[in-house]
Amino acid sequence: MPVVITAGLLLRLELVINRFPWWKNLLIFIVLLIGLFYAIPNLYGEDPALQVSGTRGTQLTEQTVANIKNTLDSKNIKGDYEFQNDQLLVRFKSTQEQILAKDIVSSMLGDNYITALNLASATPAWMRALGMQPLKLGLDLRGGVHFLMEVDMEEAMKKIKDQMVSDFRTQLREANIRLSGARIEGDSVVISFRDEASQQQALDLLTKNNREFVMNAYDKDGRYFIKADITQERLSAIRTSAVDQNINILRNRVNELGVAEPLVQRQGADRVVVELPGIQDTARAKEILGATATLEFRLVNSDANLSAALSGSVPAGSEILYDKNNYPVVVEKKVVLTGDHIVDAQSSTDENGRPQVNISLDSMGGSIMSDFTKDNVGKAMATNFIEYNVIANDDPNAPKIGDKDYKPKFERVEQIINVATIQTRLGSNFRITGIDSVKEAHNLALLLRAGALIAPIQIVEERTIGPSLGQQNIDNGMRAMVYGFIFLAVFMLLYYKAFGLIANLALLFNLILIVGIMSMIPGATMTLPGMAGIVLTLGMAIDANVLIYERIREELRNGRTPQQAIALGYEKAFATIADSNITTFITALILFLVGTGAVKGFALVLMVGVASSMFTAVTACRAVVNLIWGNRPKLKKLSI
């Protein structure tokens, strides 16, 4: 039976093709509202602020905060005070008040506290409580401190070699193979034996248990030796691991001490870039990163004769270290455990009210400590604290910090901070006692919690970018966006008339969504290249509208009704828009995965911009067109 299509039915069909269901319109509205909701905090900007926290084990108390407030009030310096997590943040109305307050508070508190200039978000507290935060700005926009740091690979390799000697001794001793001695020669370990039989037994054992070494046996002057050389693959892995572990520890230290949005990343073979946006005080940043210390647990050699050891007769495999009272302690060179395995450390007091530090180890560290203490109950174990101090170079021609050839030299300073008898088998949780004060316990816990560096690390280049320069970059970027937006808006209005106005509205929606989504992404940072990515995205978003509108014009020229032209224009242009945006998105994704720093930030903004422009140009813009023209049954002409 033939279907008869009347004029009324055709009219109703045309109205349907340009009408979204209510739920779709509501969904579009909710998405735009969420984007606006999270973009709003960026309108508030930042306040000049002063950040105060304790150091060297000193805790900031409410009484100290009250003293700071009274002192500043007496100098007629008003601020808003926020005290939480043992840190004080004071907001000021001007930079002049901030700098003046910093000088006053620093003089008042002395060296036991850190006072740092900072920039604090001016977003209202109720917004922050709802998770509404402004865009995190990079160093080039916000200002802050930039450090290029170098890992001391010689010290890292020395620790590895010392551990190798200790491991080889242990393996041979457990197999009842006698050796005359073991020493380090360059990148090799040389083990000596009195007879060829012991040498051959040791060669078989060490070759089997140590695949990352190349073992060579030889004899000289009636003595027998095994030379163990580290393979190049193992050397490369050690260097990579030392840098990677130091990077993780530096991140922990910065986060532990409350610096927001830090950038810590590798550069080259043995260097690390650290950027602290918002921090204007270089001394504060050095205080955070300068604790180049580590921790070792060693067994005390109780059988050693202390007098003989002090006279030079130190038992093989042992050495003399000194405690904080300069009392000598003979300890074994073999390190039982290092601070690398510590996952948490908290200061507290024991049952007698004396300060202590409660240690929690990871699973590997717990297993090592358990196995060791099981076999050494009743023996004494020493906790050795190690610091690396930079040695000044008196040569006036020597390279200085910032020079390309600058290489820092370190002095290793060791101190026994605790000697305790192993009472029972320990596991992943134990405590360090014998600490002099609560302050010392708090400071030690803070350092252990933040991590012990695998090898000392020193600043070879430092740069401070002032907030005024960052603000200038923001102003320049904003001008570029505004000029670009105005140019596009005028062009679209003149060329596409009413539809051009809708395209401009979609462009505004796109900008709001980009800012809102970037504000929502944890760890996302806006940099100057990121602002360039926004400008690029705005131009690409207009491309989609141009493709759609030109298709609508073409359909009108082909005799389609306005309703049909609108529907076909969006339908036929979609494939082209999708193809171009998907290829751009894939390119941005590759940049994000392989890039670092500014390249990564640009790629992230580009990906967000591509996704939001697809939504605003195709879906949101279509919804507005449907609302304006979709319900007009007698539409004869489009303003396009």
Side-chain angles (χ1 to χ4, degrees):
M1 181 177 179
V3 178
V4 179
I5 301 178
T6 64
L9 179 60
L10 183 60
L11 185 61
R12 286 195 296 272
L13 288 173
E14 285 195 348
L15 290 177
V16 169
I17 61 176
N18 289 318
R19 183 182 297 174
F20 280 164
W22 67 268
W23 62 266
K24 196 169 187 178
N25 287 324
L26 179 62
L27 185 60
I28 294 170
F29 176 76
I30 290 174
V31 171
L32 295 176
L33 190 63
I34 292 174
L36 178 63
F37 183 78
Y38 280 95
I40 285 176
N42 293 281
L43 299 176
Y44 290 92
E46 293 179 315
D47 293 327
L50 187 68
Q51 185 172 307
V52 183
S53 58
T55 186
R56 299 182 179 89
T58 304
Q59 287 184 298
L60 191 64
T61 64
E62 292 185 359
Q63 182 59 49
T64 307
V65 173
N67 293 338
I68 293 172
K69 186 177 185 304
N70 293 335
T71 303
L72 294 181
D73 287 345
S74 67
K75 302 291 184 180
N76 201 28
I77 301 175
K78 303 297 180 183
D80 294 327
Y81 294 77
E82 299 176 12
F83 179 49
Q84 57 182 358
N85 298 327
D86 294 329
Q87 286 191 343
L88 173 65
L89 185 72
V90 189
R91 301 170 185 268
F92 302 97
K93 293 182 179 179
S94 66
T95 306
Q96 290 78 8
E97 288 184 334
Q98 176 199 31
I99 296 173
L100 183 58
K102 195 264 183 184
D103 294 336
I104 294 172
V105 173
S106 296
S107 301
M108 169 188 167
L109 297 180
D111 294 335
N112 287 332
Y113 296 87
I114 301 170
T115 56
L117 300 176
N118 210 331
L119 294 172
S121 171
T123 305
W126 68 268
M127 285 189 177
R128 295 199 299 269
L130 293 174
M132 300 169 63
Q133 297 286 351
L135 266 172
K136 302 173 183 67
L137 302 180
L139 204 67
D140 52 357
L141 297 181
R142 195 181 184 199
V145 183
H146 166 97
F147 290 120
L148 179 61
M149 312 184 82
E150 185 171 72
V151 179
D152 184 6
M153 283 300 174
E154 291 183 6
E155 183 62 33
M157 293 305 301
K158 181 179 181 300
K159 290 178 64 176
I160 295 296
K161 293 170 188 175
D162 288 341
Q163 189 62 45
M164 286 162 42
V165 172
S166 177
D167 289 345
F168 288 158
R169 284 180 180 275
T170 301
Q171 292 175 35
L172 295 174
R173 186 165 54 247
E174 290 178 351
N176 293 321
I177 300 174
R178 298 189 63 181
L179 68 157
S180 299
R183 65 183 186 276
I184 298 170
E185 288 186 1
D187 288 334
S188 307
V189 175
V190 176
I191 309 168
S192 58
F193 302 89
R194 290 189 175 89
D195 56 80
E196 186 177 3
S198 297
Q199 178 199 46
Q200 189 58 48
Q201 290 178 343
L203 180 64
D204 295 339
L205 176 70
L206 295 178
T207 302
K208 177 182 177 182
N209 294 343
N210 303 275
R211 299 294 182 184
E212 66 271 24
F213 295 92
V214 177
M215 304 288 179
N216 293 300
Y218 65 96
D219 60 274
K220 183 179 179 182
D221 299 332
R223 300 183 66 188
Y224 301 89
F225 301 90
I226 293 177
K227 185 178 182 181
D229 295 307
I230 308 177
T231 63
Q232 289 301 316
E233 293 80 4
R234 176 61 176 161
L235 281 172
S236 177
I238 290 171
R239 293 190 178 98
T240 301
S241 175
V243 176
D244 289 344
Q245 291 188 57
N246 271 358
I247 286 174
N248 291 331
I249 291 163
L250 287 173
R251 286 198 183 106
N252 291 338
R253 289 188 175 183
V254 172
N255 293 334
E256 178 72 29
L257 294 174
V259 178
E261 296 94 48
L263 171 68
V264 184
Q265 64 183 21
R266 183 179 188 139
Q267 179 173 308
D270 56 0
R271 292 191 169 186
V272 180
V273 172
V274 179
E275 293 184 352
L276 307 177
I279 294 292
Q280 299 301 317
D281 192 336
T282 307
R284 155 68 168 163
K286 288 180 178 178
E287 181 75 31
I288 294 171
L289 302 172
T292 53
T294 187
L295 198 70
E296 295 176 346
F297 297 97
R298 298 203 202 176
L299 189 66
V300 175
N301 190 338
S302 304
D303 298 329
N305 186 308
L306 186 57
S307 299
L310 290 172
S311 300
S313 300
V314 181
S318 299
E319 62 179 327
I320 299 177
L321 297 177
Y322 294 85
D323 66 10
K324 50 200 166 187
N325 298 317
N326 207 33
Y327 185 81
V329 180
V330 181
V331 297
E332 293 187 1
K333 289 184 178 180
K334 180 181 179 181
V335 177
V336 177
L337 194 73
T338 65
D340 311 345
H341 297 286
I342 295 175
V343 295
D344 191 26
Q346 299 290 336
S347 59
S348 64
T349 54
D350 62 15
E351 56 275 6
N352 298 315
R354 291 173 297 195
Q356 64 179 21
V357 176
N358 300 308
I359 302 292
S360 296
L361 304 175
D362 59 19
S363 57
M364 181 180 292
S367 177
I368 294 172
M369 183 61 75
S370 176
D371 292 341
F372 173 78
T373 54
K374 177 188 68 173
D375 300 328
N376 292 279
V377 172
K379 295 182 180 180
M381 184 171 65
T383 305
N384 186 31
F385 185 72
I386 305 165
E387 288 185 295
Y388 297 93
N389 299 324
V390 179
I391 302 173
N393 194 332
D394 297 330
D395 184 357
N397 299 318
K400 300 296 187 294
I401 292 178
D403 295 344
K404 181 179 179 182
D405 298 326
Y406 175 74
K407 290 283 185 182
K409 293 185 177 298
F410 296 92
E411 177 188 21
R412 179 181 169 113
V413 180
E414 299 179 90
Q415 183 184 85
I416 300 295
I417 62 172
N418 168 260
V419 175
T421 302
I422 302 172
Q423 303 287 353
T424 184
R425 181 177 183 177
L426 302 177
S428 297
N429 298 287
F430 60 96
R431 61 183 180 174
I432 298 175
T433 58
I435 301 172
D436 286 340
S437 66
V438 173
K439 292 180 182 179
E440 185 181 341
H442 177 78
N443 193 41
L444 178 61
L446 176 63
L447 183 61
L448 297 180
R449 199 160 57 242
L453 292 174
I454 305 303
I457 191 167
Q458 176 62 24
I459 297 168
V460 296
E461 177 185 310
E462 61 180 78
R463 204 166 60 237
T464 301
I465 300 175
S468 58
L469 179 59
Q471 187 60 47
Q472 183 180 351
N473 289 335
I474 293 175
D475 294 341
N476 291 337
M478 289 299 296
R479 275 196 292 270
M481 282 194 289
V482 170
Y483 293 158
F485 189 92
I486 291 175
F487 180 81
L488 290 174
V490 171
F491 171 79
M492 294 300 288
L493 280 173
L494 293 177
Y495 200 72
Y496 292 111
K497 302 175 184 178
F499 274 75
L501 179 61
I502 296 173
N504 293 336
L505 187 63
L507 205 60
L508 181 60
F509 288 160
N510 187 31
L511 183 59
I512 291 172
L513 276 180
I514 292 174
V515 175
I517 293 172
M518 288 292 293
S519 300
M520 294 165 60
I521 298 176
T525 303
M526 180 60 67
T527 60
L528 201 57
M531 297 187 77
I534 292 180
V535 177
L536 175 62
T537 302
L538 294 179
M540 293 170 58
I542 282 294
D543 285 347
N545 290 107
V546 170
L547 287 172
I548 293 169
Y549 293 168
E550 287 301 320
R551 194 73 193 191
I552 292 174
R553 282 180 168 181
E554 183 179 342
E555 295 299 332
L556 289 173
R557 288 194 294 268
N558 290 337
R560 303 287 188 182
T561 65
Q563 298 291 353
Q564 292 173 334
I566 291 172
L568 291 172
Y570 276 94
E571 180 183 336
K572 293 184 177 181
F574 179 79
T576 304
I577 295 170
D579 286 345
S580 62
N581 280 278
I582 288 172
T583 53
T584 304
F585 187 89
I586 291 173
T587 303
L589 179 61
I590 294 172
L591 278 177
F592 180 80
L593 294 175
V594 303
T596 58
V599 174
K600 202 180 190 77
F602 172 81
L604 178 61
V605 172
L606 191 58
M607 285 192 293
V608 172
V610 166
S612 65
S613 65
M614 281 285 291
F615 173 77
T616 55
V618 177
T619 307
C621 190
R622 176 73 185 276
V624 176
V625 169
N626 288 351
L627 291 173
I628 296 175
W629 287 285
N631 293 318
R632 298 170 63 178
K634 297 181 180 180
L635 182 65
K636 299 298 183 184
K637 186 178 180 181
L638 292 176
S639 179
I640 194 172

